[in-house]
PDB file of all heavy atoms in Angstrom:
ATOM      1  N   ASP A 494     204.966 -14.128  26.821  1.00 98.00           N
ATOM      2  CA  ASP A 494     203.961 -14.942  26.128  1.00 98.00           C
ATOM      3  C   ASP A 494     202.938 -13.983  25.517  1.00 98.00           C
ATOM      4  O   ASP A 494     201.863 -13.762  26.062  1.00 98.00           O
ATOM      5  CB  ASP A 494     203.306 -15.912  27.118  1.00 98.00           C
ATOM      6  CG  ASP A 494     202.181 -16.732  26.499  1.00 98.00           C
ATOM      7  OD1 ASP A 494     202.092 -16.792  25.263  1.00 98.00           O
ATOM      8  OD2 ASP A 494     201.380 -17.292  27.284  1.00 98.00           O
ATOM      9  N   ALA A 495     203.289 -13.414  24.381  1.00 97.00           N
ATOM     10  CA  ALA A 495     202.472 -12.348  23.796  1.00 97.00           C
ATOM     11  C   ALA A 495     201.110 -12.830  23.319  1.00 97.00           C
ATOM     12  O   ALA A 495     200.130 -12.084  23.364  1.00 97.00           O
ATOM     13  CB  ALA A 495     203.224 -11.690  22.639  1.00 97.00           C
ATOM     14  N   ASP A 496     201.044 -14.090  22.856  1.00 97.00           N
ATOM     15  CA  ASP A 496     199.766 -14.580  22.331  1.00 97.00           C
ATOM     16  C   ASP A 496     198.963 -15.351  23.370  1.00 97.00           C
ATOM     17  O   ASP A 496     197.917 -15.924  23.066  1.00 97.00           O
ATOM     18  CB  ASP A 496     199.986 -15.429  21.076  1.00 97.00           C
ATOM     19  CG  ASP A 496     200.836 -16.669  21.338  1.00 97.00           C
ATOM     20  OD1 ASP A 496     201.211 -16.910  22.515  1.00 97.00           O
ATOM     21  OD2 ASP A 496     201.145 -17.394  20.371  1.00 97.00           O
ATOM     22  N   HIS A 497     199.445 -15.388  24.619  1.00 97.00           N
ATOM     23  CA  HIS A 497     198.712 -15.989  25.748  1.00 97.00           C
ATOM     24  C   HIS A 497     198.339 -17.449  25.504  1.00 97.00           C
ATOM     25  O   HIS A 497     197.270 -17.895  25.928  1.00 97.00           O
ATOM     26  CB  HIS A 497     197.452 -15.180  26.073  1.00 97.00           C
ATOM     27  CG  HIS A 497     197.708 -13.721  26.278  1.00 97.00           C
ATOM     28  ND1 HIS A 497     198.675 -13.237  27.137  1.00 97.00           N
ATOM     29  CD2 HIS A 497     197.118 -12.629  25.731  1.00 97.00           C
ATOM     30  CE1 HIS A 497     198.673 -11.917  27.125  1.00 97.00           C
ATOM     31  NE2 HIS A 497     197.745 -11.517  26.268  1.00 97.00           N
ATOM     32  N   ASP A 498     199.256 -18.199  24.883  1.00 97.00           N
ATOM     33  CA  ASP A 498     198.984 -19.620  24.654  1.00 97.00           C
ATOM     34  C   ASP A 498     199.660 -20.510  25.691  1.00 97.00           C
ATOM     35  O   ASP A 498     199.652 -21.728  25.575  1.00 97.00           O
ATOM     36  CB  ASP A 498     199.424 -20.033  23.246  1.00 97.00           C
ATOM     37  CG  ASP A 498     200.938 -19.975  23.049  1.00 97.00           C
ATOM     38  OD1 ASP A 498     201.636 -19.395  23.914  1.00 97.00           O
ATOM     39  OD2 ASP A 498     201.428 -20.502  22.030  1.00 97.00           O
ATOM     40  N   GLY A 499     200.246 -19.914  26.716  1.00 98.00           N
ATOM     41  CA  GLY A 499     200.873 -20.700  27.776  1.00 98.00           C
ATOM     42  C   GLY A 499     202.308 -21.087  27.507  1.00 98.00           C
ATOM     43  O   GLY A 499     202.888 -21.876  28.261  1.00 98.00           O
ATOM     44  N   VAL A 500     202.906 -20.525  26.447  1.00 98.00           N
ATOM     45  CA  VAL A 500     204.307 -20.792  26.115  1.00 98.00           C
ATOM     46  C   VAL A 500     204.976 -19.449  25.816  1.00 98.00           C
ATOM     47  O   VAL A 500     204.455 -18.643  25.038  1.00 98.00           O
ATOM     48  CB  VAL A 500     204.451 -21.720  24.903  1.00 98.00           C
ATOM     49  CG1 VAL A 500     205.927 -21.924  24.553  1.00 98.00           C
ATOM     50  CG2 VAL A 500     203.781 -23.066  25.170  1.00 98.00           C
ATOM     51  N   ALA A 501     206.124 -19.192  26.430  1.00 98.00           N
ATOM     52  CA  ALA A 501     206.851 -17.950  26.174  1.00 98.00           C
ATOM     53  C   ALA A 501     207.518 -18.026  24.805  1.00 98.00           C
ATOM     54  O   ALA A 501     208.343 -18.906  24.564  1.00 98.00           O
ATOM     55  CB  ALA A 501     207.888 -17.725  27.260  1.00 98.00           C
ATOM     56  N   GLU A 502     207.147 -17.096  23.920  1.00 97.00           N
ATOM     57  CA  GLU A 502     207.739 -17.093  22.579  1.00 97.00           C
ATOM     58  C   GLU A 502     209.096 -16.408  22.544  1.00 97.00           C
ATOM     59  O   GLU A 502     209.944 -16.732  21.722  1.00 97.00           O
ATOM     60  CB  GLU A 502     206.830 -16.377  21.572  1.00 97.00           C
ATOM     61  CG  GLU A 502     205.447 -16.950  21.418  1.00 97.00           C
ATOM     62  CD  GLU A 502     204.469 -16.301  22.381  1.00 97.00           C
ATOM     63  OE1 GLU A 502     204.641 -15.113  22.711  1.00 97.00           O
ATOM     64  OE2 GLU A 502     203.537 -17.005  22.817  1.00 97.00           O
ATOM     65  N   THR A 503     209.277 -15.422  23.407  1.00 97.00           N
ATOM     66  CA  THR A 503     210.523 -14.665  23.387  1.00 97.00           C
ATOM     67  C   THR A 503     211.135 -14.617  24.767  1.00 97.00           C
ATOM     68  O   THR A 503     210.449 -14.693  25.788  1.00 97.00           O
ATOM     69  CB  THR A 503     210.291 -13.220  22.889  1.00 97.00           C
ATOM     70  OG1 THR A 503     209.383 -12.561  23.780  1.00 97.00           O
ATOM     71  CG2 THR A 503     209.707 -13.219  21.483  1.00 97.00           C
ATOM     72  N   ARG A 504     212.452 -14.497  24.771  1.00 98.00           N
ATOM     73  CA  ARG A 504     213.171 -14.291  26.021  1.00 98.00           C
ATOM     74  C   ARG A 504     214.319 -13.332  25.767  1.00 98.00           C
ATOM     75  O   ARG A 504     214.932 -13.335  24.701  1.00 98.00           O
ATOM     76  CB  ARG A 504     213.686 -15.598  26.610  1.00 98.00           C
ATOM     77  CG  ARG A 504     214.850 -16.232  25.875  1.00 98.00           C
ATOM     78  CD  ARG A 504     215.289 -17.521  26.530  1.00 98.00           C
ATOM     79  NE  ARG A 504     214.270 -18.557  26.426  1.00 98.00           N
ATOM     80  CZ  ARG A 504     214.403 -19.798  26.891  1.00 98.00           C
ATOM     81  NH1 ARG A 504     215.516 -20.142  27.507  1.00 98.00           N
ATOM     82  NH2 ARG A 504     213.451 -20.667  26.753  1.00 98.00           N
ATOM     83  N   THR A 505     214.584 -12.492  26.734  1.00 98.00           N
ATOM     84  CA  THR A 505     215.689 -11.549  26.641  1.00 98.00           C
ATOM     85  C   THR A 505     216.414 -11.507  27.971  1.00 98.00           C
ATOM     86  O   THR A 505     215.830 -11.779  29.027  1.00 98.00           O
ATOM     87  CB  THR A 505     215.200 -10.127  26.285  1.00 98.00           C
ATOM     88  OG1 THR A 505     214.241  -9.714  27.266  1.00 98.00           O
ATOM     89  CG2 THR A 505     214.568 -10.084  24.909  1.00 98.00           C
ATOM     90  N   VAL A 506     217.697 -11.161  27.911  1.00 98.00           N
ATOM     91  CA  VAL A 506     218.447 -10.942  29.143  1.00 98.00           C
ATOM     92  C   VAL A 506     218.021  -9.591  29.691  1.00 98.00           C
ATOM     93  O   VAL A 506     218.312  -8.545  29.108  1.00 98.00           O
ATOM     94  CB  VAL A 506     219.954 -10.975  28.885  1.00 98.00           C
ATOM     95  CG1 VAL A 506     220.710 -10.633  30.173  1.00 98.00           C
ATOM     96  CG2 VAL A 506     220.375 -12.357  28.384  1.00 98.00           C
ATOM     97  N   PHE A 507     217.307  -9.610  30.780  1.00 98.00           N
ATOM     98  CA  PHE A 507     216.722  -8.405  31.368  1.00 98.00           C
ATOM     99  C   PHE A 507     217.742  -7.668  32.225  1.00 98.00           C
ATOM    100  O   PHE A 507     217.881  -6.446  32.144  1.00 98.00           O
ATOM    101  CB  PHE A 507     215.499  -8.814  32.184  1.00 98.00           C
ATOM    102  CG  PHE A 507     214.658  -7.674  32.666  1.00 98.00           C
ATOM    103  CD1 PHE A 507     213.929  -6.899  31.781  1.00 98.00           C
ATOM    104  CD2 PHE A 507     214.576  -7.373  34.023  1.00 98.00           C
ATOM    105  CE1 PHE A 507     213.141  -5.842  32.222  1.00 98.00           C
ATOM    106  CE2 PHE A 507     213.793  -6.336  34.476  1.00 98.00           C
ATOM    107  CZ  PHE A 507     213.075  -5.566  33.572  1.00 98.00           C
ATOM    108  N   LEU A 508     218.457  -8.399  33.078  1.00 98.00           N
ATOM    109  CA  LEU A 508     219.521  -7.859  33.911  1.00 98.00           C
ATOM    110  C   LEU A 508     220.640  -8.882  33.986  1.00 98.00           C
ATOM    111  O   LEU A 508     220.374 -10.098  34.057  1.00 98.00           O
ATOM    112  CB  LEU A 508     219.019  -7.563  35.329  1.00 98.00           C
ATOM    113  CG  LEU A 508     218.119  -6.346  35.528  1.00 98.00           C
ATOM    114  CD1 LEU A 508     217.477  -6.382  36.910  1.00 98.00           C
ATOM    115  CD2 LEU A 508     218.895  -5.054  35.342  1.00 98.00           C
ATOM    116  N   GLN A 509     221.878  -8.416  33.985  1.00 98.00           N
ATOM    117  CA  GLN A 509     223.003  -9.337  34.080  1.00 98.00           C
ATOM    118  C   GLN A 509     224.081  -8.761  34.982  1.00 98.00           C
ATOM    119  O   GLN A 509     223.957  -7.642  35.488  1.00 98.00           O
ATOM    120  CB  GLN A 509     223.559  -9.650  32.698  1.00 98.00           C
ATOM    121  CG  GLN A 509     223.985  -8.474  31.880  1.00 98.00           C
ATOM    122  CD  GLN A 509     224.354  -8.872  30.462  1.00 98.00           C
ATOM    123  OE1 GLN A 509     224.784  -9.994  30.199  1.00 98.00           O
ATOM    124  NE2 GLN A 509     224.169  -7.962  29.530  1.00 98.00           N
ATOM    125  N   ASN A 510     225.113  -9.568  35.206  1.00 98.00           N
ATOM    126  CA  ASN A 510     226.229  -9.181  36.078  1.00 98.00           C
ATOM    127  C   ASN A 510     225.769  -8.878  37.501  1.00 98.00           C
ATOM    128  O   ASN A 510     226.287  -7.980  38.165  1.00 98.00           O
ATOM    129  CB  ASN A 510     226.974  -7.982  35.489  1.00 98.00           C
ATOM    130  CG  ASN A 510     227.530  -8.263  34.107  1.00 98.00           C
ATOM    131  OD1 ASN A 510     228.060  -9.356  33.865  1.00 98.00           O
ATOM    132  ND2 ASN A 510     227.392  -7.322  33.193  1.00 98.00           N
ATOM    133  N   LEU A 511     224.782  -9.650  37.947  1.00 98.00           N
ATOM    134  CA  LEU A 511     224.311  -9.555  39.323  1.00 98.00           C
ATOM    135  C   LEU A 511     225.139 -10.488  40.199  1.00 98.00           C
ATOM    136  O   LEU A 511     226.092 -11.123  39.734  1.00 98.00           O
ATOM    137  CB  LEU A 511     222.823  -9.890  39.370  1.00 98.00           C
ATOM    138  CG  LEU A 511     221.921  -8.931  38.573  1.00 98.00           C
ATOM    139  CD1 LEU A 511     220.520  -9.514  38.407  1.00 98.00           C
ATOM    140  CD2 LEU A 511     221.856  -7.561  39.248  1.00 98.00           C
ATOM    141  N   ASN A 512     224.793 -10.590  41.469  1.00 98.00           N
ATOM    142  CA  ASN A 512     225.535 -11.426  42.406  1.00 98.00           C
ATOM    143  C   ASN A 512     224.568 -12.361  43.115  1.00 98.00           C
ATOM    144  O   ASN A 512     224.022 -12.033  44.159  1.00 98.00           O
ATOM    145  CB  ASN A 512     226.293 -10.554  43.419  1.00 98.00           C
ATOM    146  CG  ASN A 512     227.193 -11.371  44.330  1.00 98.00           C
ATOM    147  OD1 ASN A 512     227.546 -12.503  44.024  1.00 98.00           O
ATOM    148  ND2 ASN A 512     227.566 -10.784  45.456  1.00 98.00           N
ATOM    149  N   SER A 513     224.326 -13.506  42.498  1.00 98.00           N
ATOM    150  CA  SER A 513     223.379 -14.488  43.022  1.00 98.00           C
ATOM    151  C   SER A 513     222.038 -13.841  43.354  1.00 98.00           C
ATOM    152  O   SER A 513     221.582 -13.849  44.507  1.00 98.00           O
ATOM    153  CB  SER A 513     223.950 -15.216  44.244  1.00 98.00           C
ATOM    154  OG  SER A 513     225.084 -15.965  43.890  1.00 98.00           O
ATOM    155  N   PRO A 514     221.364 -13.294  42.327  1.00 98.00           N
ATOM    156  CA  PRO A 514     220.061 -12.653  42.562  1.00 98.00           C
ATOM    157  C   PRO A 514     218.994 -13.673  42.904  1.00 98.00           C
ATOM    158  O   PRO A 514     219.087 -14.841  42.516  1.00 98.00           O
ATOM    159  CB  PRO A 514     219.767 -11.987  41.214  1.00 98.00           C
ATOM    160  CG  PRO A 514     220.436 -12.890  40.218  1.00 98.00           C
ATOM    161  CD  PRO A 514     221.706 -13.332  40.899  1.00 98.00           C
ATOM    162  N   PHE A 515     217.968 -13.231  43.595  1.00 98.00           N
ATOM    163  CA  PHE A 515     216.882 -14.143  43.971  1.00 98.00           C
ATOM    164  C   PHE A 515     215.559 -13.388  43.911  1.00 98.00           C
ATOM    165  O   PHE A 515     214.900 -13.354  42.880  1.00 98.00           O
ATOM    166  CB  PHE A 515     217.163 -14.733  45.352  1.00 98.00           C
ATOM    167  CG  PHE A 515     216.333 -15.937  45.690  1.00 98.00           C
ATOM    168  CD1 PHE A 515     216.589 -17.161  45.095  1.00 98.00           C
ATOM    169  CD2 PHE A 515     215.308 -15.854  46.620  1.00 98.00           C
ATOM    170  CE1 PHE A 515     215.827 -18.286  45.403  1.00 98.00           C
ATOM    171  CE2 PHE A 515     214.546 -16.962  46.947  1.00 98.00           C
ATOM    172  CZ  PHE A 515     214.806 -18.180  46.333  1.00 98.00           C
ATOM    173  N   GLY A 516     215.150 -12.715  44.975  1.00 98.00           N
ATOM    174  CA  GLY A 516     213.847 -12.069  45.006  1.00 98.00           C
ATOM    175  C   GLY A 516     213.775 -10.824  44.147  1.00 98.00           C
ATOM    176  O   GLY A 516     214.771 -10.124  43.938  1.00 98.00           O
ATOM    177  N   MET A 517     212.558 -10.517  43.659  1.00 99.00           N
ATOM    178  CA  MET A 517     212.287  -9.351  42.819  1.00 99.00           C
ATOM    179  C   MET A 517     210.914  -8.809  43.171  1.00 99.00           C
ATOM    180  O   MET A 517     209.989  -9.582  43.418  1.00 99.00           O
ATOM    181  CB  MET A 517     212.292  -9.760  41.331  1.00 99.00           C
ATOM    182  CG  MET A 517     213.590 -10.386  40.845  1.00 99.00           C
ATOM    183  SD  MET A 517     213.340 -11.406  39.340  1.00 99.00           S
ATOM    184  CE  MET A 517     212.739 -12.956  40.054  1.00 99.00           C
ATOM    185  N   THR A 518     210.776  -7.488  43.170  1.00 99.00           N
ATOM    186  CA  THR A 518     209.460  -6.884  43.366  1.00 99.00           C
ATOM    187  C   THR A 518     209.455  -5.497  42.742  1.00 99.00           C
ATOM    188  O   THR A 518     210.475  -4.801  42.735  1.00 99.00           O
ATOM    189  CB  THR A 518     209.081  -6.825  44.859  1.00 99.00           C
ATOM    190  OG1 THR A 518     207.692  -6.556  44.993  1.00 99.00           O
ATOM    191  CG2 THR A 518     209.865  -5.758  45.609  1.00 99.00           C
ATOM    192  N   LEU A 519     208.306  -5.093  42.201  1.00 98.00           N
ATOM    193  CA  LEU A 519     208.153  -3.812  41.525  1.00 98.00           C
ATOM    194  C   LEU A 519     207.229  -2.909  42.333  1.00 98.00           C
ATOM    195  O   LEU A 519     206.140  -3.322  42.732  1.00 98.00           O
ATOM    196  CB  LEU A 519     207.570  -4.022  40.125  1.00 98.00           C
ATOM    197  CG  LEU A 519     207.384  -2.777  39.257  1.00 98.00           C
ATOM    198  CD1 LEU A 519     208.728  -2.203  38.827  1.00 98.00           C
ATOM    199  CD2 LEU A 519     206.528  -3.108  38.023  1.00 98.00           C
ATOM    200  N   VAL A 520     207.675  -1.666  42.567  1.00 98.00           N
ATOM    201  CA  VAL A 520     206.849  -0.646  43.197  1.00 98.00           C
ATOM    202  C   VAL A 520     206.875   0.572  42.285  1.00 98.00           C
ATOM    203  O   VAL A 520     207.919   1.224  42.137  1.00 98.00           O
ATOM    204  CB  VAL A 520     207.365  -0.270  44.600  1.00 98.00           C
ATOM    205  CG1 VAL A 520     206.435   0.755  45.243  1.00 98.00           C
ATOM    206  CG2 VAL A 520     207.490  -1.499  45.489  1.00 98.00           C
ATOM    207  N   GLY A 521     205.756   0.870  41.645  1.00 98.00           N
ATOM    208  CA  GLY A 521     205.749   1.946  40.668  1.00 98.00           C
ATOM    209  C   GLY A 521     206.697   1.613  39.531  1.00 98.00           C
ATOM    210  O   GLY A 521     206.573   0.566  38.888  1.00 98.00           O
ATOM    211  N   ASN A 522     207.666   2.479  39.286  1.00 98.00           N
ATOM    212  CA  ASN A 522     208.686   2.216  38.269  1.00 98.00           C
ATOM    213  C   ASN A 522     210.016   1.799  38.877  1.00 98.00           C
ATOM    214  O   ASN A 522     211.045   1.801  38.189  1.00 98.00           O
ATOM    215  CB  ASN A 522     208.900   3.463  37.394  1.00 98.00           C
ATOM    216  CG  ASN A 522     207.719   3.724  36.478  1.00 98.00           C
ATOM    217  OD1 ASN A 522     206.894   4.578  36.759  1.00 98.00           O
ATOM    218  ND2 ASN A 522     207.616   2.968  35.394  1.00 98.00           N
ATOM    219  N   ASP A 523     209.989   1.408  40.153  1.00 98.00           N
ATOM    220  CA  ASP A 523     211.198   0.943  40.833  1.00 98.00           C
ATOM    221  C   ASP A 523     211.161  -0.574  40.953  1.00 98.00           C
ATOM    222  O   ASP A 523     210.263  -1.138  41.607  1.00 98.00           O
ATOM    223  CB  ASP A 523     211.303   1.560  42.224  1.00 98.00           C
ATOM    224  CG  ASP A 523     211.553   3.055  42.194  1.00 98.00           C
ATOM    225  OD1 ASP A 523     212.183   3.528  41.219  1.00 98.00           O
ATOM    226  OD2 ASP A 523     211.110   3.753  43.127  1.00 98.00           O
TER     227      ASP A 523
END
């Protein structure tokens, strides 16, 4: 949501070919 209007204007496939993914967390660049 680049213009911060509460609606996502763009979407991209960030990661694929996973196996029933669920939780996500970022630590530094990991």
Side-chain angles (χ1 to χ4, degrees):
D494 176 16
D496 61 3
H497 308 309
D498 67 348
V500 178
E502 301 90 31
T503 61
R504 72 180 67 179
T505 57
V506 176
F507 190 68
L508 286 168
Q509 56 187 332
N510 301 319
L511 298 167
N512 186 19
S513 296
F515 195 73
M517 302 158 278
T518 195
L519 182 69
V520 182
N522 289 101
D523 292 330

